[in-house]
Amino acid sequence: MYDDIATCDENPRPGTIIHHPEGGDVYAGVPKDYTGDAVTADNFFAVILGDKSSVKGGSGKVIDSKPDDRIFLYYTDHGAAGLLGMPEKPYVVANDFVEVLKKKHAMGTYKEMVIYLEACESGSIFEGLLPEDLNIYAITSTKPEEPSYIIYCPDMNPPPPPEYTTCLGDTFSVAWMEDSETHNLKKESLAQQINKVKERTSMFGTYANGSHVMEYGTKVIKPEKVYLYQGYNPETANLPANRIHFDKKMESVNQRDGDLIYLWQKYKRSSVSNRADALKQMTETLRYMAHLDSSVNMIGVLLFGPQNGSILRSSRGRGLPLVDDWDCLKSMTRLFEKHCGLLTEYGMKHMRAFANICNNLVEETEVEEAIIATCSGKNIGPYASLGAYSV
């Protein structure tokens, strides 16, 4: 974990973290092996592979698993088509992640692995990439082409405690955590938990500000009990296996709007002396979002014509990966950031556009020409890439 919440100056309850409006502190006692600038893609991969010699910073602890061990991996961050966010760039790219999982399997150092993945468009991390014979069962919060959602937000139902200006959790993550807290995990199966999580994450089948939880990989693992992966709390011995129904309707919002919710709340609650600064921060953020959106749209017009703008937004369909040439995707992303500025967590949503440019086999020189024509002189200010690219 990056570990920037509990001690943040704007945390209304210093030293604590909550993930439910009526919940207690979930921060105390949490082991933190990698924090701050040690939270990187390279360290993430090294930890999975048990490669102590490759980790940099942190405690040096890795998954030193044996052939009969089960592994539970929970990952949450911002995401995009083929991409998982990291506090420190570069981000995690889907094919690189899956190659690490394949290598871990080839090493024969685990029996089974379960992955819970929370991020926008998280299905794209495994769609068409994760084989079914690795003994890895992966569950994602969304389909390959839809956003994730957040709940317990200010001015929504139910809201966080009144002193909070941020949302408390992601719908998928809150769903599985609250399910685990209220059931006997020695009795509940993975299949039962995932069915409950699907129900809540989809907003009870309406998909109104809800997403489709997806399953990939070795699905025969589903009947196994949850405790084999998440552990067991003896205090839950008398709780049911899977009978509690979370049927209370909740309001949620697109995860990519989370920053705007925070900035709006900050502006709305600011004192007279701080109001101008809060307004400036919000307007600058909105302008940069508009810059990213309009730039990608213009590049699409220059490459494919005004009548073919949908090419950038198209999906390839089930069973196919986001892109065939992952090196091309990385190159397109770096070209954009070189001339147009950093994508940011919001701009990550345009990764599908870059993938579709690659899938349509557009020459790199032609793409760079369009990007320069669109963004020449705009890679300046706080969002300038300065050679630090997202991938």
Side-chain angles (χ1 to χ4, degrees):
M1 61 185 295
Y2 195 60
D3 200 24
D4 62 341
I5 299 176
T7 58
C8 177
D9 292 340
E10 297 186 45
N11 185 349
R13 299 182 186 178
T16 68
I17 298 175
I18 63 172
H19 72 162
H20 187 279
E22 301 174 1
D25 179 28
V26 296
Y27 181 71
V30 173
K32 299 178 288 292
D33 291 293
Y34 297 88
T35 60
D37 58 10
V39 184
T40 66
D42 285 343
N43 275 350
F44 177 53
F45 293 156
V47 167
I48 292 175
L49 295 173
D51 184 1
K52 293 182 179 180
S53 64
S54 294
V55 295
K56 297 178 181 178
S59 69
K61 186 177 180 179
V62 298
I63 301 177
D64 188 19
S65 52
K66 303 299 185 288
D68 290 330
D69 289 334
R70 290 180 172 89
I71 297 172
F72 179 65
L73 195 163
Y74 167 57
Y75 191 112
T76 179
D77 205 300
H78 288 281
L83 209 61
L84 292 175
M86 265 281 170
E88 296 291 322
K89 293 180 175 61
Y91 296 150
V92 173
V93 180
N95 73 311
D96 295 335
F97 183 24
V98 173
E99 287 303 313
V100 166
L101 295 177
K102 290 178 180 178
K103 186 174 180 180
K104 181 73 172 177
H105 179 262
M107 293 165 64
T109 54
Y110 69 93
K111 181 177 182 180
E112 293 167 335
M113 185 187 303
V114 170
I115 300 174
Y116 283 11
L117 181 56
E118 169 81 71
C120 289
E121 300 179 86
S122 50
S124 66
I125 303 301
F126 299 120
E127 186 76 46
L129 292 174
L130 184 66
E132 296 181 358
D133 60 356
L134 299 186
N135 287 340
I136 297 175
Y137 176 43
I139 300 95
T140 66
S141 60
T142 75
K143 294 195 297 185
E145 61 284 316
E146 68 183 350
S148 185
Y149 290 86
I150 46 180
I151 59 173
Y152 303 145
C153 300
D155 297 332
M156 299 179 70
N157 184 35
E163 66 268 31
Y164 282 81
T165 57
T166 62
C167 303
L168 297 184
D170 300 281
T171 309
F172 169 82
S173 295
V174 166
W176 79 258
M177 289 181 189
E178 291 185 1
D179 181 89
S180 292
E181 290 169 350
T182 51
H183 292 104
N184 183 335
L185 302 188
K186 282 194 173 183
K187 296 179 180 179
E188 185 177 36
S189 69
L190 289 166
Q192 288 175 312
Q193 179 164 93
I194 295 307
N195 285 338
K196 287 292 185 186
V197 171
K198 285 183 177 181
E199 184 180 6
R200 290 192 70 187
T201 307
S202 69
M203 288 298 157
F204 305 95
T206 67
Y207 298 99
N209 281 358
S211 61
H212 298 73
V213 173
M214 302 295 289
E215 303 172 59
Y216 299 95
T218 312
K219 299 176 185 177
V220 294
I221 294 175
K222 290 169 62 172
E224 295 187 0
K225 302 304 181 187
V226 178
Y227 86 97
L228 293 170
Y229 299 91
Q230 295 181 24
Y232 175 69
N233 181 358
E235 295 181 5
T236 66
N238 296 323
L239 294 179
N242 196 247
R243 291 202 302 271
I244 294 177
H245 294 281
F246 294 92
D247 55 2
K248 183 178 180 181
K249 298 297 187 290
M250 296 182 175
E251 293 180 313
S252 61
V253 66
N254 190 321
Q255 188 190 79
R256 290 182 174 127
D257 292 331
D259 286 347
L260 289 180
I261 290 174
Y262 158 71
L263 291 172
W264 162 245
Q265 291 292 327
K266 184 177 179 180
Y267 168 62
K268 187 173 68 170
R269 303 182 190 196
S270 60
S271 63
V272 174
S273 60
N274 294 325
R275 196 169 180 83
D277 287 341
L279 180 60
K280 179 182 178 182
Q281 189 177 3
M282 187 169 183
T283 53
E284 285 180 350
T285 300
L286 286 167
R287 287 194 187 100
Y288 194 72
M289 288 177 172
H291 156 66
L292 292 173
D293 293 341
S294 62
S295 296
V296 172
N297 288 336
M298 182 171 175
I299 291 165
V301 170
L302 293 177
L303 292 177
F304 302 111
Q307 74 278 19
N308 294 314
S310 61
I311 289 177
L312 294 186
R313 300 184 296 273
S314 63
S315 299
R316 303 184 80 189
R318 294 291 171 261
L320 293 174
L322 170 71
V323 66
D324 293 322
D325 188 344
W326 290 90
D327 288 334
C328 173
L329 177 61
K330 294 176 182 179
S331 295
M332 292 301 121
T333 305
R334 291 167 187 160
L335 272 179
F336 180 88
E337 293 191 314
K338 176 182 177 181
H339 298 287
C340 300
L342 293 173
L343 282 176
T344 72
E345 287 84 359
Y346 171 83
M348 290 168 68
K349 70 177 187 176
H350 294 299
M351 289 298 296
R352 186 172 303 279
F354 304 144
N356 284 324
I357 291 172
C358 292
N359 292 335
N360 280 274
L361 305 179
V362 183
E363 292 291 336
E364 184 172 321
T365 53
E366 186 179 349
V367 176
E368 186 165 24
E369 182 180 61
I371 290 175
I372 291 174
T374 300
C375 292
S376 179
K378 295 181 181 179
N379 186 10
I380 57 176
Y383 298 105
S385 59
L386 301 177
Y389 302 124
S390 295
V391 295

